[in-house]
Amino acid sequence: MDCEALKKYTVLHPKPAGLTLQYGTAGFRTKAEQLDHVMFRMGLLAVLRSKAVVSTIGIMVTASHNPEEDNGVKLVDPLGEMLHPSWEEYATQLANAEDQELQKIITEICQKAAVNQHKDASVIIGRDTRPSSEKLSQSVIDGISVLGGQYHDYGLVTTPQLHYMVCCRNTQGQYGKATLEGYYEKLSKAFTELIKQSLSSGGSQRHLKVDCANGIGALKLSEMEPYFPKEVLIHLYNDGTKEKLNHLCGADFVKVHQKPPRGLDMKPNERCCSFDGDADRIVYYYKDATGHFHLIDGDKIATLISIFLKELLAKVGQTLRMAVVQTAYANGSSTRYLEETLKVPVHCVKTGVKHLHHKAQEFDVGVYFEANGHGTVLFSKAAETKIRQLAKEEKDDEKREAAKVLENMIDLINQTVGDAVSDMLVIEAILALKGLTVQQWDAIYTDLPNRLLKVQVADRRVIDTADAERRAVTPPGLQEKIDALVKKYKLSRAFVRPSGTEDVVRVYAEADAQENADALAHEVSLAVYHFAGGKGAPPQP
């Protein structure tokens, strides 16, 4: 380690006094002007991580669905997965260290994590379209260079594209070519193969309106357009040329406000979808003939994909274990449909993509989506090998064709992380192949009315949960109170959990009718306020 260079560069990227940040599920996120020192230090950390695992590590500069003034950074591990939890702690330590302690902390991390300083390090970088992202990614590069790491800057990419690049580089190209063209070619080839049956059977043009949240998704989707079959027409809205990133648009806005984004004019029964700011989430929606807005969220996306994959797995006749992974926020109707009608096992885990991803890895085919539209499908190595072999060698025509469709699905799905572009193409292919309209998809089951609220508390840590966050263990008496309230309503459930980011407790309730879901959510909020040290005035109905 060149201590002089480290000192010199630390002075160029000083830490503001009194600022502490926590590396969470989404990495670091805050106002862009507070992040320069963090970016520099994450460049340092990526070099250490690369040396520790002797692989290429990714760094993505983005704050996803946050406002344009914010920014953030997250590290990507060798197979395109999120940073290992033990290293999240090192990231937090390094980000919060005083300037003069940096060298000491780096040495400590090297000892704790058995980092061989003499190994080579390789880091790749990507960024979103925020005005602050270019300068901040330059600070990352300073950090990488100080510790002698090699880097490749991919510039403007979606978050899932960077995850894809990391995986390609560490599998020596087995997962795909580590270039944007490689990504576009891999996905579009699989998509075209899938959809050509439906096009040859006289399917007319397929139109889709896409709200790109004024973010990176617009840029990359327009680059990818020449790769699509000419029958598939994708119309881009909120493409970033006029308005601010995520402002009154994007997947998060549509999901939270249950209404269409600004700047997208919807005609009855048109298929529309929204990406979030860094294109790793997607939700669909449409207006019916009466002008009523219908949201199709992550639960319904997971259900559509599960129906399709289950039919194909039955056709190939293999005993491959399939399951769906959800969080407590998944609508009760989706869970009931999957378990009772589709007969697919459903597993509930704690909120946060890393918990879903981890659980999905236990199955041959693991489908996971959060209600917010972030999700993907994982195929075990054994399942993938078996499917590819059947697609090549199976004598029975029907079985072989089904295996080929599955093989194309494997290539179309970005297994490293939720990917709005990939998920959109998966959904479009399934709707085309099954001949489903957006209304028919929506009608698979009816969501139970629900309500999400938050309660301000003095300290969110007084609430501790168990059973995948579905039951409150502390403070004493709270869960009993919730159980009593839930008994008052039909088809109802409710749970509370501390926010991961602020001193609020999130309350979720669902019931047979909207007024009942609202009433239950309000009553549970009051219980939280009284049992868990509410701040300010009690919640109002």
Side-chain angles (χ1 to χ4, degrees), residues 55-74:
S55 303
T56 297
I57 295 296
I59 290 195
M60 185 69 199
V61 177
T62 182
S64 189
H65 55 277
N66 282 32
E68 193 174 271
E69 304 72 58
D70 292 0
N71 218 320
V73 58
K74 46 189 173 186

Side-chain angles (χ1 to χ4, degrees), residues 91-110:
T92 301
Q93 278 170 7
L94 203 53
N96 296 322
E98 293 309 324
D99 291 349
Q100 62 279 8
E101 304 176 313
L102 261 192
Q103 204 180 316
K104 181 170 124 289
I105 303 271
I106 289 172
T107 309
E108 280 173 17
I109 293 172
C110 289

Side-chain angles (χ1 to χ4, degrees), residues 280-282 368-370 372-377 414 417-419 423:
D280 64 359
R281 295 183 186 185
I282 185 170
Y368 76 82
F369 269 83
E370 289 188 296
N372 65 25
H374 187 289
T376 188
V377 185
N414 186 343
V417 70
D419 181 338
D423 290 337

Side-chain angles (χ1 to χ4, degrees), residues 183-310:
Y183 173 91
Y184 298 143
E185 278 164 6
K186 179 180 175 182
L187 268 63
S188 60
K189 179 171 173 278
F191 177 66
T192 306
E193 282 293 310
L194 281 166
I195 208 162
K196 71 175 186 219
Q197 288 155 294
S198 79
L199 294 175
S200 62
S201 62
S204 60
Q205 288 182 322
R206 298 192 61 82
H207 290 268
L208 175 66
K209 290 184 168 179
V210 186
D211 154 34
C212 297
N214 289 311
I216 185 72
L219 216 60
K220 299 296 133 182
L221 209 46
S222 57
E223 284 176 11
M224 192 173 182
E225 221 153 347
Y227 293 85
F228 293 144
K230 60 182 186 307
E231 295 85 355
V232 176
L233 296 166
I234 293 184
H235 310 277
L236 305 186
Y237 295 82
N238 297 320
D239 62 0
T241 50
K242 295 191 267 302
E243 295 284 342
K244 276 175 77 165
L245 175 70
N246 295 326
H247 181 58
L248 302 177
C249 62
D252 203 54
F253 172 85
V254 173
K255 168 87 176 123
V256 171
H257 296 278
Q258 304 269 330
K259 65 180 188 190
R262 189 160 103 181
L264 188 147
D265 158 49
M266 292 166 73
K267 296 188 177 60
N269 298 328
E270 280 185 330
R271 265 197 330 285
C272 305
C273 67
S274 283
F275 292 3
D276 71 335
D278 64 340
D280 64 359
R281 295 183 186 185
I282 185 170
V283 295
Y284 269 69
Y285 44 92
Y286 68 98
K287 257 187 190 157
D288 63 26
T290 65
H292 183 71
F293 176 82
H294 295 254
L295 174 75
I296 300 181
D297 65 4
D299 300 335
K300 231 166 222 176
I301 293 172
T303 304
L304 178 73
I305 294 173
S306 303
I307 290 170
F308 187 69
L309 292 177
K310 184 162 191 236

Side-chain angles (χ1 to χ4, degrees), residues 84-229:
H84 193 276
S86 62
W87 279 72
E88 289 184 3
E89 292 204 12
Y90 301 148
T92 301
Q93 278 170 7
L94 203 53
N96 296 322
E98 293 309 324
D99 291 349
Q100 62 279 8
E101 304 176 313
L102 261 192
Q103 204 180 316
K104 181 170 124 289
I105 303 271
I106 289 172
T107 309
E108 280 173 17
I109 293 172
C110 289
Q111 283 163 349
K112 278 190 210 150
V115 175
N116 181 345
Q117 296 254 33
H118 303 295
K119 291 269 185 233
D120 288 338
S122 146
V123 182
I124 64 175
I125 311 149
R127 65 174 192 272
D128 72 10
T129 54
R130 290 164 198 271
S132 58
S133 291
E134 189 166 4
K135 188 169 175 300
L136 289 174
S137 71
Q138 200 46 57
S139 306
V140 171
I141 290 171
D142 283 354
I144 298 166
S145 307
V146 165
L147 290 186
Q150 297 292 312
Y151 70 88
H152 179 86
D153 183 5
Y154 279 97
L156 291 164
V157 287
T158 68
T159 296
Q161 285 174 334
L162 189 83
H163 284 256
Y164 163 90
M165 305 296 178
V166 174
C167 188
C168 291
R169 281 173 172 253
N170 290 314
T171 55
Q172 285 63 57
Q174 266 181 298
Y175 190 66
K177 280 217 308 267
T179 60
L180 277 171
E181 293 70 46
Y183 173 91
Y184 298 143
E185 278 164 6
K186 179 180 175 182
L187 268 63
S188 60
K189 179 171 173 278
F191 177 66
T192 306
E193 282 293 310
L194 281 166
I195 208 162
K196 71 175 186 219
Q197 288 155 294
S198 79
L199 294 175
S200 62
S201 62
S204 60
Q205 288 182 322
R206 298 192 61 82
H207 290 268
L208 175 66
K209 290 184 168 179
V210 186
D211 154 34
C212 297
N214 289 311
I216 185 72
L219 216 60
K220 299 296 133 182
L221 209 46
S222 57
E223 284 176 11
M224 192 173 182
E225 221 153 347
Y227 293 85
F228 293 144

